[in-house]
Amino acid sequence: MGNAIRALAAFIPADRCQNFVVRDLQEMPLDKMVDLSGSQLRRLPVHVCSFRELVKLYLSDNHLSSLPLELGQLQNLQILALDFNNFKALPQVVCTLKQLCILYLGNNKLYDLPDELRLLQNLRTLWVEANCLTQLPDVVCELSLLKTLHAGSNALRLLPGQLRRLRELRTIWLSGNQLTDFPPVLLHMPFLEVIDVDRNSIRYFPSLAHLSSLKLVIYDHNPCRNAPKVAKGVRRVGRWAEETPEPDRRKARRYALVEESQEAQAPALPPQLPPTSS
């Protein structure tokens, strides 16, 4: 039924879509979930905020830039999806929803997160990928139960040292940022199970063999000249991933020379490999 509603809403002008959605939501859903994703909403129907037993609210892929204060009535909400909207700042009312476990904020226009986010002490999963973050907000380091952090596709250059406080953190996704060094703080987080630094600008990887809980490290699409050392059984995704424990030094040197040659050549000219020793 939800998909049918969204399909119909796609053909309704935005100024009429609001009334259509309100008429469709006259009663509290039996599954305690409301999915208004892709409904062309410019504002949340306040009527939804009367469903005080609501547990899941999906507002993805709309045109929202603010939320009504009445949202604070949903004190049983555990999942809130606000991704793919037009938020330039996280509405303060979100920080009053203290039962939230999962918060989706990806693909917005956020430059920071409010200090009040620390009130969400039940948060286990936070998605802030594809925003405008140039640094990871310190308040994230105060979410003591956080297990999964998605912060890819921003403009992060480093991570705060306080991140090591998150002793429940198991998975961190940092692909598509502007990291030039492997974040030192991650070397002090032996409880991490998954580290993703794909598509950054990291040239050298330190050993990760001491990270006793590590299961997967993704480091592909970096201009690295070595593969990170890992403990036995840890999966690596990236150049030289199948070689143990280090890539052949001659291959690493050859790659470095090819890379420098490509940078020196004009864009229109094809890259040329240096001669190899027999």
Short mmCIF file of all heavy atoms in Angstrom, two decimals, residues 6-68:
data_model
loop_
_atom_site.label_atom_id
_atom_site.label_comp_id
_atom_site.label_asym_id
_atom_site.label_seq_id
_atom_site.Cartn_x
_atom_site.Cartn_y
_atom_site.Cartn_z
N ARG A 6 2.93 6.31 -2.68
CA ARG A 6 4.03 7.11 -3.18
C ARG A 6 3.95 7.29 -4.70
O ARG A 6 4.27 8.34 -5.24
CB ARG A 6 5.36 6.49 -2.79
CG ARG A 6 5.67 6.64 -1.30
CD ARG A 6 7.13 6.32 -1.03
NE ARG A 6 7.43 4.93 -1.27
CZ ARG A 6 7.25 3.96 -0.36
NH1 ARG A 6 6.76 4.25 0.83
NH2 ARG A 6 7.58 2.71 -0.64
N ALA A 7 3.49 6.24 -5.40
CA ALA A 7 3.36 6.33 -6.84
C ALA A 7 2.31 7.36 -7.24
O ALA A 7 2.49 8.15 -8.16
CB ALA A 7 3.01 4.95 -7.43
N LEU A 8 1.20 7.36 -6.53
CA LEU A 8 0.15 8.34 -6.80
C LEU A 8 0.61 9.75 -6.46
O LEU A 8 0.36 10.70 -7.19
CB LEU A 8 -1.10 8.00 -5.99
CG LEU A 8 -1.91 6.79 -6.48
CD1 LEU A 8 -3.00 6.45 -5.48
CD2 LEU A 8 -2.52 7.08 -7.84
N ALA A 9 1.31 9.88 -5.33
CA ALA A 9 1.77 11.20 -4.89
C ALA A 9 2.71 11.83 -5.88
O ALA A 9 2.78 13.06 -6.01
CB ALA A 9 2.45 11.09 -3.53
N ALA A 10 3.44 11.02 -6.63
CA ALA A 10 4.41 11.55 -7.58
C ALA A 10 3.74 12.34 -8.70
O ALA A 10 4.37 13.19 -9.33
CB ALA A 10 5.23 10.40 -8.18
N PHE A 11 2.44 12.07 -8.93
CA PHE A 11 1.73 12.78 -9.99
C PHE A 11 0.87 13.92 -9.47
O PHE A 11 0.14 14.55 -10.23
CB PHE A 11 0.84 11.78 -10.76
CG PHE A 11 1.63 10.75 -11.51
CD1 PHE A 11 1.86 9.50 -10.95
CD2 PHE A 11 2.16 11.04 -12.75
CE1 PHE A 11 2.60 8.55 -11.65
CE2 PHE A 11 2.90 10.09 -13.45
CZ PHE A 11 3.12 8.85 -12.90
N ILE A 12 0.98 14.20 -8.17
CA ILE A 12 0.19 15.26 -7.58
C ILE A 12 1.07 16.48 -7.36
O ILE A 12 2.18 16.36 -6.85
CB ILE A 12 -0.40 14.80 -6.22
CG1 ILE A 12 -1.29 13.58 -6.44
CG2 ILE A 12 -1.19 15.92 -5.57
CD1 ILE A 12 -1.79 12.97 -5.16
N PRO A 13 0.62 17.68 -7.76
CA PRO A 13 1.41 18.88 -7.51
C PRO A 13 1.75 19.02 -6.04
O PRO A 13 0.97 18.61 -5.16
CB PRO A 13 0.49 20.01 -7.98
CG PRO A 13 -0.42 19.36 -8.98
CD PRO A 13 -0.62 17.96 -8.47
N ALA A 14 2.93 19.59 -5.74
CA ALA A 14 3.43 19.65 -4.37
C ALA A 14 2.46 20.33 -3.43
O ALA A 14 2.30 19.93 -2.28
CB ALA A 14 4.77 20.38 -4.35
N ASP A 15 1.75 21.38 -3.90
CA ASP A 15 0.85 22.11 -3.01
C ASP A 15 -0.40 21.32 -2.67
O ASP A 15 -1.09 21.61 -1.70
CB ASP A 15 0.48 23.47 -3.61
CG ASP A 15 -0.17 23.34 -4.98
OD1 ASP A 15 -0.09 22.23 -5.55
OD2 ASP A 15 -0.75 24.33 -5.46
N ARG A 16 -0.72 20.28 -3.48
CA ARG A 16 -1.88 19.44 -3.20
C ARG A 16 -1.48 18.13 -2.53
O ARG A 16 -2.30 17.45 -1.94
CB ARG A 16 -2.63 19.15 -4.50
CG ARG A 16 -3.25 20.39 -5.15
CD ARG A 16 -3.85 20.04 -6.49
NE ARG A 16 -4.83 18.94 -6.36
CZ ARG A 16 -5.30 18.26 -7.41
NH1 ARG A 16 -4.85 18.53 -8.62
NH2 ARG A 16 -6.18 17.30 -7.22
N CYS A 17 -0.21 17.79 -2.65
CA CYS A 17 0.28 16.52 -2.11
C CYS A 17 0.08 16.46 -0.61
O CYS A 17 -0.25 15.42 -0.04
CB CYS A 17 1.75 16.33 -2.46
SG CYS A 17 2.41 14.72 -1.99
N GLN A 18 0.29 17.60 0.07
CA GLN A 18 0.15 17.67 1.52
C GLN A 18 -1.24 17.19 1.97
O GLN A 18 -1.38 16.35 2.84
CB GLN A 18 0.37 19.12 1.97
CG GLN A 18 0.38 19.31 3.48
CD GLN A 18 1.76 19.16 4.06
OE1 GLN A 18 2.73 19.05 3.32
NE2 GLN A 18 1.85 19.13 5.36
N ASN A 19 -2.27 17.73 1.34
CA ASN A 19 -3.64 17.36 1.72
C ASN A 19 -3.93 15.90 1.42
O ASN A 19 -4.61 15.22 2.18
CB ASN A 19 -4.65 18.25 0.97
CG ASN A 19 -4.57 19.69 1.41
OD1 ASN A 19 -4.22 19.97 2.56
ND2 ASN A 19 -4.90 20.61 0.51
N PHE A 20 -3.38 15.40 0.33
CA PHE A 20 -3.56 13.99 -0.02
C PHE A 20 -3.00 13.08 1.06
O PHE A 20 -3.64 12.13 1.50
CB PHE A 20 -2.88 13.70 -1.36
CG PHE A 20 -2.92 12.25 -1.77
CD1 PHE A 20 -4.02 11.73 -2.43
CD2 PHE A 20 -1.87 11.40 -1.47
CE1 PHE A 20 -4.06 10.40 -2.81
CE2 PHE A 20 -1.90 10.07 -1.83
CZ PHE A 20 -3.00 9.57 -2.51
N VAL A 21 -1.81 13.39 1.54
CA VAL A 21 -1.15 12.57 2.55
C VAL A 21 -1.92 12.61 3.86
O VAL A 21 -2.11 11.59 4.53
CB VAL A 21 0.31 13.04 2.76
CG1 VAL A 21 0.92 12.35 3.96
CG2 VAL A 21 1.13 12.76 1.51
N VAL A 22 -2.39 13.80 4.25
CA VAL A 22 -3.13 13.93 5.51
C VAL A 22 -4.40 13.09 5.47
O VAL A 22 -4.75 12.40 6.43
CB VAL A 22 -3.47 15.41 5.79
CG1 VAL A 22 -4.43 15.52 6.96
CG2 VAL A 22 -2.20 16.18 6.09
N ARG A 23 -5.13 13.12 4.34
CA ARG A 23 -6.35 12.33 4.24
C ARG A 23 -6.06 10.84 4.35
O ARG A 23 -6.86 10.07 4.87
CB ARG A 23 -7.05 12.63 2.90
CG ARG A 23 -7.73 13.98 2.86
CD ARG A 23 -8.76 14.02 1.72
NE ARG A 23 -8.17 13.70 0.43
CZ ARG A 23 -7.65 14.60 -0.39
NH1 ARG A 23 -7.62 15.88 -0.04
NH2 ARG A 23 -7.16 14.24 -1.56
N ASP A 24 -4.92 10.44 3.86
CA ASP A 24 -4.57 9.01 3.87
C ASP A 24 -4.15 8.53 5.25
O ASP A 24 -4.16 7.34 5.52
CB ASP A 24 -3.43 8.76 2.88
CG ASP A 24 -3.14 7.29 2.72
OD1 ASP A 24 -3.99 6.58 2.16
OD2 ASP A 24 -2.07 6.85 3.18
N LEU A 25 -3.78 9.44 6.14
CA LEU A 25 -3.28 9.08 7.46
C LEU A 25 -4.22 9.56 8.56
O LEU A 25 -3.89 10.42 9.35
CB LEU A 25 -1.89 9.69 7.68
CG LEU A 25 -0.77 9.13 6.81
CD1 LEU A 25 0.49 9.95 6.99
CD2 LEU A 25 -0.49 7.68 7.16
N GLN A 26 -5.41 9.00 8.57
CA GLN A 26 -6.38 9.40 9.57
C GLN A 26 -6.26 8.60 10.86
O GLN A 26 -6.69 9.05 11.91
CB GLN A 26 -7.81 9.25 9.01
CG GLN A 26 -8.12 10.22 7.88
CD GLN A 26 -8.00 11.67 8.31
OE1 GLN A 26 -8.43 12.05 9.39
NE2 GLN A 26 -7.37 12.48 7.47
N GLU A 27 -5.68 7.41 10.78
CA GLU A 27 -5.58 6.54 11.94
C GLU A 27 -4.14 6.09 12.15
O GLU A 27 -3.36 6.02 11.21
CB GLU A 27 -6.49 5.32 11.79
CG GLU A 27 -7.96 5.67 11.66
CD GLU A 27 -8.82 4.42 11.52
OE1 GLU A 27 -8.23 3.31 11.53
OE2 GLU A 27 -10.04 4.56 11.40
N MET A 28 -3.84 5.75 13.39
CA MET A 28 -2.53 5.24 13.73
C MET A 28 -2.30 3.90 13.03
O MET A 28 -3.09 2.97 13.16
CB MET A 28 -2.44 5.04 15.25
CG MET A 28 -1.23 4.29 15.73
SD MET A 28 0.29 5.24 15.59
CE MET A 28 1.49 3.99 16.07
N PRO A 29 -1.25 3.75 12.22
CA PRO A 29 -0.98 2.48 11.52
C PRO A 29 -0.76 1.35 12.52
O PRO A 29 -0.14 1.53 13.58
CB PRO A 29 0.31 2.78 10.74
CG PRO A 29 0.36 4.27 10.62
CD PRO A 29 -0.27 4.80 11.88
N LEU A 30 -1.24 0.18 12.17
CA LEU A 30 -1.13 -0.96 13.07
C LEU A 30 0.32 -1.36 13.32
O LEU A 30 0.66 -1.85 14.39
CB LEU A 30 -1.92 -2.14 12.50
CG LEU A 30 -3.44 -1.96 12.43
CD1 LEU A 30 -4.08 -3.19 11.79
CD2 LEU A 30 -4.02 -1.71 13.82
N ASP A 31 1.18 -1.16 12.30
CA ASP A 31 2.58 -1.54 12.47
C ASP A 31 3.42 -0.42 13.08
O ASP A 31 4.65 -0.54 13.16
CB ASP A 31 3.19 -1.96 11.13
CG ASP A 31 3.10 -0.87 10.06
OD1 ASP A 31 2.62 0.23 10.38
OD2 ASP A 31 3.52 -1.13 8.91
N LYS A 32 2.76 0.66 13.50
CA LYS A 32 3.43 1.79 14.16
C LYS A 32 4.52 2.39 13.30
O LYS A 32 5.54 2.87 13.78
CB LYS A 32 4.01 1.36 15.52
CG LYS A 32 2.95 0.86 16.50
CD LYS A 32 3.55 0.50 17.85
CE LYS A 32 2.47 0.02 18.81
NZ LYS A 32 3.03 -0.32 20.14
N MET A 33 4.30 2.36 11.98
CA MET A 33 5.26 2.91 11.03
C MET A 33 4.54 3.78 10.02
O MET A 33 3.47 3.42 9.53
CB MET A 33 5.99 1.78 10.29
CG MET A 33 6.98 2.29 9.24
SD MET A 33 7.73 0.96 8.26
CE MET A 33 6.37 0.54 7.18
N VAL A 34 5.13 4.94 9.73
CA VAL A 34 4.64 5.81 8.66
C VAL A 34 5.79 6.04 7.69
O VAL A 34 6.87 6.45 8.09
CB VAL A 34 4.13 7.16 9.21
CG1 VAL A 34 3.89 8.15 8.07
CG2 VAL A 34 2.85 6.96 10.01
N ASP A 35 5.53 5.75 6.41
CA ASP A 35 6.53 5.93 5.37
C ASP A 35 6.01 6.95 4.36
O ASP A 35 5.14 6.63 3.55
CB ASP A 35 6.84 4.60 4.69
CG ASP A 35 8.00 4.71 3.71
OD1 ASP A 35 8.53 5.82 3.49
OD2 ASP A 35 8.38 3.67 3.15
N LEU A 36 6.55 8.15 4.40
CA LEU A 36 6.17 9.22 3.47
C LEU A 36 7.33 9.56 2.54
O LEU A 36 7.40 10.66 2.00
CB LEU A 36 5.75 10.47 4.26
CG LEU A 36 4.54 10.31 5.18
CD1 LEU A 36 4.28 11.58 5.95
CD2 LEU A 36 3.32 9.89 4.38
N SER A 37 8.21 8.61 2.33
CA SER A 37 9.35 8.82 1.45
C SER A 37 8.89 9.12 0.02
O SER A 37 7.92 8.53 -0.46
CB SER A 37 10.25 7.59 1.43
OG SER A 37 10.70 7.28 2.72
N GLY A 38 9.57 10.07 -0.62
CA GLY A 38 9.26 10.38 -2.01
C GLY A 38 7.87 10.94 -2.23
O GLY A 38 7.29 10.73 -3.29
N SER A 39 7.35 11.67 -1.25
CA SER A 39 5.99 12.21 -1.36
C SER A 39 5.94 13.69 -1.71
O SER A 39 4.90 14.32 -1.60
CB SER A 39 5.24 11.98 -0.03
OG SER A 39 5.10 10.61 0.25
N GLN A 40 7.08 14.26 -2.12
CA GLN A 40 7.17 15.66 -2.52
C GLN A 40 6.78 16.63 -1.40
O GLN A 40 6.30 17.73 -1.66
CB GLN A 40 6.30 15.93 -3.76
CG GLN A 40 6.66 15.08 -4.97
CD GLN A 40 5.91 15.50 -6.21
OE1 GLN A 40 5.89 16.68 -6.55
NE2 GLN A 40 5.30 14.55 -6.89
N LEU A 41 6.99 16.23 -0.17
CA LEU A 41 6.59 17.07 0.96
C LEU A 41 7.55 18.24 1.14
O LEU A 41 8.76 18.08 1.07
CB LEU A 41 6.58 16.24 2.24
CG LEU A 41 5.57 15.09 2.32
CD1 LEU A 41 5.75 14.36 3.65
CD2 LEU A 41 4.16 15.60 2.17
N ARG A 42 6.99 19.41 1.39
CA ARG A 42 7.78 20.58 1.77
C ARG A 42 7.64 20.87 3.25
O ARG A 42 8.41 21.64 3.81
CB ARG A 42 7.35 21.80 0.94
CG ARG A 42 7.61 21.61 -0.55
CD ARG A 42 7.38 22.86 -1.35
NE ARG A 42 7.60 22.62 -2.77
CZ ARG A 42 8.79 22.62 -3.34
NH1 ARG A 42 9.88 22.85 -2.62
NH2 ARG A 42 8.92 22.39 -4.64
N ARG A 43 6.66 20.25 3.86
CA ARG A 43 6.51 20.33 5.31
C ARG A 43 5.84 19.04 5.79
O ARG A 43 5.07 18.42 5.05
CB ARG A 43 5.70 21.55 5.74
CG ARG A 43 4.28 21.56 5.25
CD ARG A 43 3.59 22.89 5.63
NE ARG A 43 2.18 22.88 5.28
CZ ARG A 43 1.70 23.14 4.06
NH1 ARG A 43 2.53 23.42 3.08
NH2 ARG A 43 0.40 23.11 3.83
N LEU A 44 6.16 18.64 6.99
CA LEU A 44 5.59 17.41 7.55
C LEU A 44 4.16 17.67 7.99
O LEU A 44 3.90 18.62 8.74
CB LEU A 44 6.42 16.95 8.75
CG LEU A 44 5.89 15.73 9.52
CD1 LEU A 44 5.91 14.49 8.63
CD2 LEU A 44 6.71 15.49 10.78
N PRO A 45 3.21 16.84 7.57
CA PRO A 45 1.84 16.99 8.05
C PRO A 45 1.79 16.85 9.57
O PRO A 45 2.17 15.82 10.11
CB PRO A 45 1.09 15.84 7.36
CG PRO A 45 1.92 15.50 6.17
CD PRO A 45 3.34 15.76 6.58
N VAL A 46 1.34 17.89 10.25
CA VAL A 46 1.35 17.90 11.71
C VAL A 46 0.49 16.77 12.27
O VAL A 46 0.76 16.25 13.36
CB VAL A 46 0.85 19.27 12.24
CG1 VAL A 46 0.75 19.26 13.77
CG2 VAL A 46 1.80 20.38 11.78
N HIS A 47 -0.49 16.34 11.50
CA HIS A 47 -1.37 15.27 11.95
C HIS A 47 -0.58 14.01 12.29
O HIS A 47 -0.96 13.26 13.20
CB HIS A 47 -2.41 14.97 10.86
CG HIS A 47 -3.39 13.90 11.23
ND1 HIS A 47 -4.33 14.07 12.23
CD2 HIS A 47 -3.55 12.64 10.76
CE1 HIS A 47 -5.05 12.95 12.33
NE2 HIS A 47 -4.59 12.07 11.46
N VAL A 48 0.52 13.78 11.58
CA VAL A 48 1.34 12.59 11.83
C VAL A 48 1.86 12.61 13.27
O VAL A 48 2.04 11.56 13.90
CB VAL A 48 2.51 12.53 10.83
CG1 VAL A 48 3.47 11.40 11.17
CG2 VAL A 48 2.00 12.36 9.41
N CYS A 49 2.09 13.79 13.80
CA CYS A 49 2.66 13.92 15.15
C CYS A 49 1.68 13.55 16.26
O CYS A 49 2.05 13.50 17.43
CB CYS A 49 3.17 15.34 15.36
SG CYS A 49 4.42 15.85 14.15
N SER A 50 0.43 13.28 15.87
CA SER A 50 -0.56 12.85 16.87
C SER A 50 -0.49 11.35 17.13
O SER A 50 -1.09 10.85 18.07
CB SER A 50 -1.97 13.23 16.40
OG SER A 50 -2.33 12.50 15.23
N PHE A 51 0.27 10.63 16.28
CA PHE A 51 0.41 9.18 16.46
C PHE A 51 1.51 8.92 17.49
O PHE A 51 2.64 8.56 17.15
CB PHE A 51 0.75 8.50 15.14
CG PHE A 51 -0.25 8.73 14.05
CD1 PHE A 51 0.14 8.78 12.72
CD2 PHE A 51 -1.60 8.89 14.35
CE1 PHE A 51 -0.79 8.97 11.70
CE2 PHE A 51 -2.53 9.09 13.34
CZ PHE A 51 -2.13 9.14 12.01
N ARG A 52 1.21 9.08 18.74
CA ARG A 52 2.24 9.11 19.78
C ARG A 52 2.90 7.76 20.03
O ARG A 52 3.93 7.70 20.71
CB ARG A 52 1.65 9.66 21.08
CG ARG A 52 1.10 11.07 20.89
CD ARG A 52 0.90 11.80 22.18
NE ARG A 52 0.42 13.16 21.92
CZ ARG A 52 0.38 14.11 22.84
NH1 ARG A 52 0.80 13.88 24.06
NH2 ARG A 52 -0.08 15.32 22.53
N GLU A 53 2.32 6.69 19.52
CA GLU A 53 2.93 5.38 19.68
C GLU A 53 3.81 5.01 18.49
O GLU A 53 4.35 3.91 18.43
CB GLU A 53 1.85 4.31 19.86
CG GLU A 53 0.99 4.50 21.10
CD GLU A 53 1.82 4.52 22.37
OE1 GLU A 53 2.67 3.63 22.52
OE2 GLU A 53 1.63 5.43 23.19
N LEU A 54 3.99 5.95 17.56
CA LEU A 54 4.76 5.69 16.36
C LEU A 54 6.20 5.30 16.72
O LEU A 54 6.83 5.93 17.56
CB LEU A 54 4.76 6.94 15.47
CG LEU A 54 4.98 6.73 13.97
CD1 LEU A 54 3.84 5.90 13.37
CD2 LEU A 54 5.07 8.08 13.27
N VAL A 55 6.71 4.26 16.03
CA VAL A 55 8.07 3.76 16.28
C VAL A 55 9.01 4.08 15.12
O VAL A 55 10.19 4.34 15.35
CB VAL A 55 8.04 2.24 16.53
CG1 VAL A 55 9.45 1.67 16.64
CG2 VAL A 55 7.25 1.93 17.80
N LYS A 56 8.48 4.10 13.89
CA LYS A 56 9.31 4.33 12.71
C LYS A 56 8.66 5.41 11.84
O LYS A 56 7.47 5.32 11.51
CB LYS A 56 9.47 3.04 11.89
CG LYS A 56 10.04 1.87 12.67
CD LYS A 56 10.05 0.61 11.82
CE LYS A 56 10.54 -0.59 12.61
NZ LYS A 56 10.53 -1.84 11.80
N LEU A 57 9.47 6.40 11.46
CA LEU A 57 8.99 7.47 10.60
C LEU A 57 10.00 7.71 9.48
O LEU A 57 11.15 8.11 9.74
CB LEU A 57 8.78 8.76 11.40
CG LEU A 57 8.31 10.00 10.62
CD1 LEU A 57 7.00 9.72 9.87
CD2 LEU A 57 8.14 11.19 11.56
N TYR A 58 9.59 7.45 8.24
CA TYR A 58 10.46 7.60 7.08
C TYR A 58 10.01 8.81 6.25
O TYR A 58 8.89 8.82 5.71
CB TYR A 58 10.42 6.33 6.22
CG TYR A 58 10.95 5.11 6.93
CD1 TYR A 58 10.10 4.25 7.62
CD2 TYR A 58 12.32 4.83 6.92
CE1 TYR A 58 10.59 3.13 8.29
CE2 TYR A 58 12.82 3.71 7.59
CZ TYR A 58 11.95 2.87 8.26
OH TYR A 58 12.45 1.77 8.92
N LEU A 59 10.89 9.80 6.18
CA LEU A 59 10.59 11.03 5.44
C LEU A 59 11.64 11.28 4.36
O LEU A 59 11.86 12.42 3.93
CB LEU A 59 10.56 12.22 6.41
CG LEU A 59 9.52 12.13 7.53
CD1 LEU A 59 9.70 13.27 8.53
CD2 LEU A 59 8.10 12.15 6.95
N SER A 60 12.28 10.24 3.90
CA SER A 60 13.35 10.35 2.91
C SER A 60 12.84 10.89 1.58
O SER A 60 11.67 10.74 1.23
CB SER A 60 14.00 8.98 2.67
OG SER A 60 14.37 8.37 3.89
N ASP A 61 13.78 11.53 0.84
CA ASP A 61 13.52 11.92 -0.54
C ASP A 61 12.30 12.84 -0.67
O ASP A 61 11.36 12.57 -1.43
CB ASP A 61 13.34 10.67 -1.41
CG ASP A 61 13.41 10.98 -2.90
OD1 ASP A 61 13.91 12.06 -3.27
OD2 ASP A 61 12.94 10.14 -3.69
N ASN A 62 12.31 13.92 0.09
CA ASN A 62 11.29 14.96 0.01
C ASN A 62 11.97 16.31 -0.20
O ASN A 62 13.10 16.36 -0.67
CB ASN A 62 10.40 14.94 1.25
CG ASN A 62 9.36 13.82 1.20
OD1 ASN A 62 8.44 13.85 0.39
ND2 ASN A 62 9.51 12.83 2.07
N HIS A 63 11.30 17.38 0.17
CA HIS A 63 11.86 18.73 0.03
C HIS A 63 11.84 19.44 1.39
O HIS A 63 11.67 20.65 1.47
CB HIS A 63 11.06 19.54 -0.99
CG HIS A 63 10.92 18.88 -2.32
ND1 HIS A 63 11.96 18.75 -3.21
CD2 HIS A 63 9.85 18.27 -2.91
CE1 HIS A 63 11.56 18.11 -4.29
NE2 HIS A 63 10.29 17.80 -4.13
N LEU A 64 12.03 18.69 2.45
CA LEU A 64 11.94 19.24 3.80
C LEU A 64 13.19 20.03 4.17
O LEU A 64 14.31 19.61 3.88
CB LEU A 64 11.74 18.11 4.81
CG LEU A 64 10.48 17.25 4.62
CD1 LEU A 64 10.51 16.06 5.57
CD2 LEU A 64 9.22 18.08 4.84
N SER A 65 12.99 21.16 4.82
CA SER A 65 14.10 21.95 5.35
C SER A 65 13.87 22.32 6.82
O SER A 65 14.73 22.91 7.45
CB SER A 65 14.30 23.22 4.52
OG SER A 65 13.13 24.01 4.52
N SER A 66 12.70 21.95 7.34
CA SER A 66 12.37 22.20 8.74
C SER A 66 11.36 21.15 9.19
O SER A 66 10.79 20.42 8.36
CB SER A 66 11.79 23.61 8.92
OG SER A 66 10.57 23.74 8.20
N LEU A 67 11.16 21.07 10.49
CA LEU A 67 10.19 20.14 11.07
C LEU A 67 9.38 20.86 12.13
O LEU A 67 9.90 21.74 12.83
CB LEU A 67 10.92 18.93 11.69
CG LEU A 67 11.66 18.01 10.73
CD1 LEU A 67 12.50 17.00 11.49
CD2 LEU A 67 10.69 17.30 9.79
N PRO A 68 8.12 20.50 12.32
CA PRO A 68 7.29 21.17 13.33
C PRO A 68 7.69 20.76 14.75
O PRO A 68 8.17 19.64 14.97
CB PRO A 68 5.88 20.68 12.98
CG PRO A 68 6.09 19.34 12.35
CD PRO A 68 7.37 19.47 11.57
#
